[in-house]
Each structure stands twice: as structure tokens, then as C-alpha cells.
Amino acid sequence: MNILILGGGGREHALAWAIAQNPKCDQLFCAPGNAGIAQVADCVNINPEDGDAVVDFCADESISFVVIGPEAPLAAGVADTLRAAGILTFGPSAAAAQLEVSKNFTKEICDACGADTAAYAHFTELEAAKTYVREQGAPIVIKADGLAAGKGVVVAMDLETALTALDDMFGGSFGEAGAEVVIEEFMEGEEASFFVLSDGENVLPMGTAQDHKRAFDGDQGPNTGGMGAYSPAPVMTAEITEKALNETIIPTIKEMAKRGTPFQGVLYAGFMIKDGQPRLVEYNVRFGDPECQALMIRLGAQVLDALLACAEGNLADARINWADDHALSVVYAADGYPGAYEKGTEIAGLEGLDDGSKLHVFHAGTAAKDGKTLATGGRVLAITARGDTLKQAHAKAYATIEKIDWPEGFYRTDIGYRAL
Ligand code: AMP
Ligand code: GLY
């Protein structure tokens, strides 16, 4: 079959790498893709958020399966447009994507299905929000309701920070996303992510991971989209994983179905774990980046079968074959990220690094020009390795990153430290 992936980051490169290995995949396309993805797929210049353009392309190239990577096309209803055109699609409807698009929606779902999460209140007016924050005291968590590219959350350790965050959000610093605000109880514990496919009814776990959000070593510096990740997450023991499934994820899937908006795609659940209890921090409706890179190098070609079963509503019969392995992904970012950074700098030394199924340099923000690889984004590469132990994966990833010659880039040297 011919397959189209929407998106152009490290997550989509990892998806493309895994899908291309499956014999069911004839021709693979990616829109818009990047220089790394171009090594395994035909990159096409269509806007992934323009559903009609995507449908036209699918007709022209006889595409029979579309995999949607990022949240923006999902929020824009591209999965709905594709399904209405009769095209098999991996990714939730716009209605089901509300689980990521609106934090208040997720809180309401948790209330309705009894999932354990932080206590919260929802506000549309600044003064009422401030009164509530003063009553509750710090620490407290302030969240812009809508999509804010991972930047709409302020974990306030003191009252002043919380009140300033409210002024900023209601003052428009996140645009429409901040017009509504969710205020949450501060949860302590260790965070981990759990990835589960659902066809609307059945669920299939795809693995656990932990990421590093801060830019610099020792979890210092500004928040980013993620500077590295590893899988599995040791804190997600079999017992906690069962609890997360039975007390949060399955009830959520049932509640979404009951409302007539079944969730079909990958549900990425962030949990805070303390004293053996997982509590939901948030949902995303897509794979994490760079968590996806660590998951894909562990799963390989079977990913396509799982994504197809998910889209076809056949997850009840689907299985994942797990190797007892570990993966780790280190992000190489442009100096200055997550703030302003230079574009167009040259990356050398990328040849000959990839090593079958154990090591792959996934591209997140690159372009090819005159035979050179140029950095075009903030997060640029994700060096991802797999091993029998996390230590092996760690050693392999870091030995590889040292061979890459990119003076204008930086990476964290301590990815995975909590688990090592
Ligand atoms: P979110 O975008 O909702 O995942 O929030 C970003 C980060 O803020 C999370 O990964 C947590 O580290 C932190 N966070 C969010 N909500 C809470 C909470 N209720 N208590 C403690 N930390 C939180
Ligand atoms: N790495 C975090 C995310 O993809 O949202």
C-alpha cells in the first residue's frame, strides 16, 4: 500500500523509518518531511493542516493510509476530512483531539469517569482566578486552557509567580489559548509517559517513556519541547501500568465512546507517580517528540501493523512483540533554543552513523542543500540508540553524537540520569 505521513519533525522521521521497513509499505510519502525523512520517503510540499489538499494528494498518488503525526492537523479536523473522503487514517477526530486541545475538557472527562488527577478549577475572568489562587496558596499550577506549544503551564512555587502568570495569560500572552485558564493542585512525584493505541473501544499499550523538558543539564534552564527521552520508564512498573490503564486510560476511552466521540489514535498520557499511585497530569493525542524516537527504535516494522489495526478498528486482535530492550534519544538543538536561534548552519559528519536497528540519527529540523545538511529548526537531530540495557543505549547514543560536527548546536549530557 501507499502511505502518507503528515508532519516533518523527529517524531515523523521515526515513524517513517519504522513504517518503511514493513513489507506492506510500497511507497511512502511525507508532507512536508525534512532532509532525514527524504532518505526513506518522498517528501511533498503540501500543508498538513489543509485537509482538502491532503485528500487531493491521496487521490493523485493512490494513498490508502494516512498517519497524522502532530497535534495541529488533528485539532484542525484533518482526520475527519480524510475519513469523510473514505481514506483510512491514523489519528483522532477534532472532537476527540479535545483531550489535548482543551485542558478543561480533559478535567471534565476525568471527573465524569473517575480518573485520578489534580483537583482543579476553571476560570474565564482574571479577578475570580486571582481570588481562588490567594485562597489556595502556593505551590499551585496555572495552565492556559488551549494549545500553547508546551509553554502554557506555569508551576508556581510562590503566590507572586502564580498571580503574574494569571496576569500574563489573561493579558493575552498565549492569545486565544489563554482566554480560559485551569488552576490545579500541585502534584509531587516522578513523571512518566504512557503511550496507548485505541481504536475507540480496545486499547493496546505501546510503551512507556520519560523525557527531559529543561534545556540544560541537571534539569536547569528554560522549558523546551523535550531534550531527550528514554524507554521504558522504570517508574512505570507492571503494577502502576495496570493501574494507569484500568483507573484512567480505559475509563477515558469508554467515556469518549459514550459521548459519541470515540478516540482513535495514540493517547499519550502523562502521569505523576507517588506512593504507587499514578495521577494524570495531561493527555496528548499524538506521539511525544522525542519519546516517539525511543519507542519506534524498540518496535520497528511492527508499528505499521499496529497503526493499521488501530485505524481499522481491529485492535482487539493486535499484539506487540516486545524485546526486553531499552532505548534512549538525545536531542541536538540549535544554540539559543528554545529562544531565538540561527537557521541554515551546516551539520557535518552524519555519514555512516546509522547502524541497522540499533542506532539511528533522526532528523527533526533539517534541509538538504547543495549536498549539505543544514539546520532549519530549534530541535534539529535526535540521536537514538537501543540496547539490552539503558546503559548500553546511553553509551551508543553519546558515542555517536560526539562524531557529529555541528559547532552551532548543543545537547544535554545527562539524558537518562534518573534511571542510570
Ligand atoms: P502539561 O503541559 O500539562 O504536561 O504540563 C507541563 C509540565 O508541568 C508537566 O510535565 C509537569 O512537569 C508540570 N505540571 C503540570 N501539571 C502539574 C501539576 N498539577 N502538578 C505538578 N506539576 C505539574
Ligand atoms: N516531549 C513532549 C511532547 O512531545 O509533548
Side-chain angles (χ1 to χ4, degrees), residues 31-379:
N34 63 40
I37 296 173
Q39 293 163 12
V40 282
D42 287 329
C43 295
V44 289
N45 192 17
I46 14 175
N47 176 2
E49 289 164 48
D50 181 348
D52 293 330
V54 176
V55 167
D56 288 346
F57 179 78
C58 289
D60 291 347
E61 298 292 343
S62 308
I63 304 284
S64 42
F65 187 40
V66 178
V67 176
I68 304 180
E71 63 275 21
L74 297 167
V78 171
D80 305 79
T81 307
L82 285 164
R83 284 194 200 103
I87 300 164
L88 189 66
T89 301
F90 176 81
S93 64
Q98 286 299 305
L99 285 172
E100 174 162 356
V101 172
S102 166
K103 304 213 182 266
N104 188 51
F105 178 83
T106 293
K107 288 300 207 183
E108 286 175 5
I109 293 284
C110 287
D111 282 349
C113 72
D116 193 351
T117 184
Y120 78 106
H122 170 237
F123 293 93
T124 52
E125 284 177 14
L126 176 62
E127 282 315 315
K130 283 189 163 175
T131 303
Y132 178 80
V133 162
R134 287 196 190 98
E135 280 164 17
Q136 297 294 313
I140 195 157
V141 181
I142 315 288
K143 300 186 174 184
D145 180 69
L147 289 179
K151 297 184 189 91
V153 175
V154 175
V155 178
M157 298 316 282
D158 57 70
L159 210 54
E160 206 187 309
T161 308
L163 296 171
T164 306
L166 287 174
D167 280 329
D168 287 350
M169 285 182 197
F170 282 108
S173 58
F174 297 104
E176 276 299 299
E180 296 183 31
V181 165
V182 169
I183 303 179
E184 281 187 12
E185 164 202 357
F186 172 77
M187 295 189 286
E188 275 178 37
E190 187 167 352
E191 273 187 275
S193 304
F194 188 19
F195 296 86
V196 177
L197 298 188
S198 177
D199 58 10
E201 194 183 335
N202 308 287
V203 298
L204 180 69
M206 293 288 276
T208 62
Q210 271 172 294
D211 79 341
H212 298 258
K213 288 240 163 60
R214 300 298 192 105
F216 308 131
D217 281 12
D219 292 324
Q220 302 295 309
N223 259 316
T224 71
M227 293 298 293
Y230 52 100
S231 171
V235 62
M236 289 295 290
T237 59
E239 207 181 340
I240 290 175
T241 303
E242 274 303 300
K243 261 181 177 278
L245 265 179
N246 293 327
E247 295 173 11
T248 300
I249 289 172
I250 292 171
T252 297
I253 295 298
K254 285 194 174 143
E255 179 64 27
M256 293 300 285
K258 194 172 107 191
R259 292 179 179 219
T261 52
F263 182 89
Q264 185 262 69
V266 58
L267 191 59
Y268 156 5
F271 286 101
M272 191 70 82
I273 297 134
K274 194 177 170 229
D275 301 331
Q277 183 62 30
R279 302 181 74 197
L280 186 74
V281 178
E282 64 157 353
Y283 279 133
N284 294 297
V285 299
R286 41 142 185 112
F287 283 106
D289 188 336
E291 292 90 330
C292 185
Q293 289 85 314
L295 295 178
M296 292 305 126
I297 207 161
R298 293 183 65 205
L299 294 168
Q302 63 180 323
V303 165
L304 177 59
D305 299 307
L307 301 189
L308 278 170
C310 179
E312 285 164 343
N314 288 333
L315 270 188
D317 302 323
R319 294 282 171 276
I320 296 285
N321 292 316
W322 292 104
D324 187 15
D325 60 357
H326 296 257
L328 182 134
S329 186
V330 183
V331 169
Y332 213 158
D335 282 339
Y337 173 80
Y341 52 82
E342 199 182 338
K343 286 187 182 178
T345 56
E346 187 186 345
I347 308 167
L350 289 170
E351 299 73 28
L353 298 179
D354 301 329
D355 148 17
S357 65
K358 290 261 163 85
L359 186 287
H360 205 86
V361 178
F362 294 116
H363 291 221
T366 61
K369 200 176 172 206
D370 307 328
K372 292 176 179 163
T373 304
L374 305 182
T376 57
R379 290 188 294 171

